[in-house]
């Protein structure tokens, strides 16, 4: 079902180091607080749980978490941090894989729905979230706003990070509604840069709302970040919450 690119062992082993800036307790605190409040006394299901950057500390906060992850290598890194009984993980894609039980929260962070490269698969992801939610449960997505405002006529590339150890830019295909994120990374500020890239299907907030409606979910809230700041025309990302009717 899934068109997502599969993370290799080398990519999985590097992931936590490369994403250390967004993985510290201080950086994660707003997201963990947001998700903990929505989970309430229920269980949480993380689509594309990866190495457990969010799921592991959320579990340590007392929220029962289960994960779905396509890459066995990413799941293996998570397993070094926590055992299967504490945080179960099912290998499979987030559009069709079903795990037992009912959840009060399903969440998908850090632009990961864009890893599904077709609209049909993204719709199925919403349907899969709705399938797992109990009445009144919430589906949460964290996703960047497509960077088309930064594209003057004739330009196809948009930089998103220029730092000592990393150069990143997106190349955009506005006809296919896809982008490729290009990364030039070096470890510890020394040595040659390592090149990598990943493909994504970008999605507008209004398109997500229509996908939610198809899945029987209603938009409850949209904010500019995990801290609850307002979503505006200048926001570069959003955190959106849809609710399953009671």
């Amino acid at each position: 079902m899934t068109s997502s690119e599969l993370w290799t062992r080398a990519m999985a082993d590097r992931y936590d180091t490369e994403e250390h800036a967004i993985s510290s307790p201080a950086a994660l605190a707003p997201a963990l607080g947001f998700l903990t409040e929505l989970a309430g006394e229920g269980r949480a299901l993380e689509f594309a749980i990866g190495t457990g950057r969010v799921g592991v500390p959320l579990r340590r906060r007392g929220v029962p978490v289960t994960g779905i992850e396509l890459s066995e290598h990413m799941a293996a890194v998570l397993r070094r941090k926590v055992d299967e009984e504490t945080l179960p993980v099912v290998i499979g894609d987030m559009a069709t894989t079903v795990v037992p039980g009912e959840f009060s929260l399903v969440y998908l962070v850090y632009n990961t729905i864009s890893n599904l490269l077709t609209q049909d698969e993204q719709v199925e992801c919403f349907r899969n979230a709705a399938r797992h939610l109990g009445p009144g449960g919430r589906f949460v997505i964290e996703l960047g706003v497509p960077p088309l405002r930064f594209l003057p006529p004739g330009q196809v590339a948009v930089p998103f990070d220029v730092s000592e150890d990393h150069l990143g830019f997106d190349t955009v295909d506005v006809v296919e509604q896809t982008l490729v994120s290009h990364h030039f990374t070096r470890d510890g500020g020394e040595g040659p840069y390592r090149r990598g890239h990943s493909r994504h299907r970008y999605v507008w907030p209004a398109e997500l709302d229509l996908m939610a409606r198809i899945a029987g979910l209603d938009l409850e809230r949209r904010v500019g970040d995990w801290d609850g700041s307002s979503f505006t025309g200048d926001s570069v990302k959003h955190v959106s919450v849809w609710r399953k009717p009671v």
Side-chain angles (χ1 to χ4, degrees):
M1 173 63 190
T2 185
S3 58
S4 297
E5 296 178 340
L6 196 61
W7 289 73
T8 65
R9 176 176 295 177
M11 295 164 66
D13 286 341
R14 293 195 303 262
Y15 183 82
D16 286 345
T17 299
E18 293 183 346
E19 300 298 342
H20 66 90
I22 60 170
S23 303
S24 68
L28 284 172
L32 297 176
F34 194 105
L35 296 171
T36 299
E37 181 179 354
L38 289 182
E41 299 299 318
R43 303 165 65 212
L45 174 63
E46 181 172 354
F47 285 175
I49 194 169
T51 65
R53 181 182 68 90
V54 174
V56 171
L58 186 63
R59 181 66 186 89
R60 289 172 180 157
R61 285 196 172 208
V63 178
V65 177
T66 298
I68 293 175
E69 173 54 42
L70 183 62
S71 169
E72 294 186 25
H73 300 301
M74 294 288 274
V77 175
L78 179 151
R79 193 54 66 221
R80 300 171 196 163
K81 305 172 184 177
V82 64
D83 61 48
E84 175 72 16
E85 183 177 353
T86 302
L87 202 166
V89 175
V90 176
I91 301 300
D93 71 87
M94 56 186 161
T96 62
T97 301
V98 178
V99 302
E102 187 174 88
F103 298 84
S104 62
L105 173 67
V106 178
Y107 66 96
L108 184 54
V109 299
Y110 202 31
N111 304 322
T112 313
I113 193 170
S114 69
N115 291 357
L116 297 171
L117 299 177
T118 71
Q119 187 182 68
D120 286 344
E121 288 173 338
Q122 290 174 346
V123 169
E124 288 305 313
C125 182
F126 270 84
R127 284 179 166 152
N128 201 28
R131 184 181 297 124
H132 286 91
L133 288 171
R138 274 92 168 189
F139 182 34
V140 178
I141 285 181
E142 176 192 22
L143 185 62
V145 175
L148 302 193
R149 293 178 64 189
F150 300 102
L151 282 177
Q155 182 173 312
V156 297
V158 180
F160 59 85
D161 184 39
V162 179
S163 57
E164 185 68 22
D165 297 331
H166 179 252
L167 304 174
F169 61 92
D170 294 326
T171 52
V172 182
D173 185 331
V174 296
V175 175
E176 296 296 327
Q177 199 169 316
T178 58
L179 62 80
V180 179
S181 291
H182 303 265
H183 302 269
F184 293 85
T185 309
R186 63 179 180 177
D187 301 321
E190 298 180 352
Y193 282 90
R194 180 179 60 255
R195 182 176 182 176
H197 70 275
S198 58
R199 295 185 300 150
H200 305 270
R201 181 181 188 271
Y202 64 80
V203 200
W204 298 99
E207 187 179 3
L208 293 175
D209 292 342
L210 185 56
M211 293 179 184
R213 188 181 303 176
I214 291 170
L217 305 175
D218 301 320
L219 179 65
E220 181 177 72
R221 184 183 181 196
R222 174 167 292 127
V223 293
D225 209 336
W226 295 108
D227 61 5
S229 56
S230 297
F231 178 72
T232 71
D234 294 322
S235 297
V236 297
K237 64 180 282 188
H238 62 95
V239 177
S240 297
V241 182
W242 297 271
R243 188 168 184 261
K244 187 172 184 176
V246 176

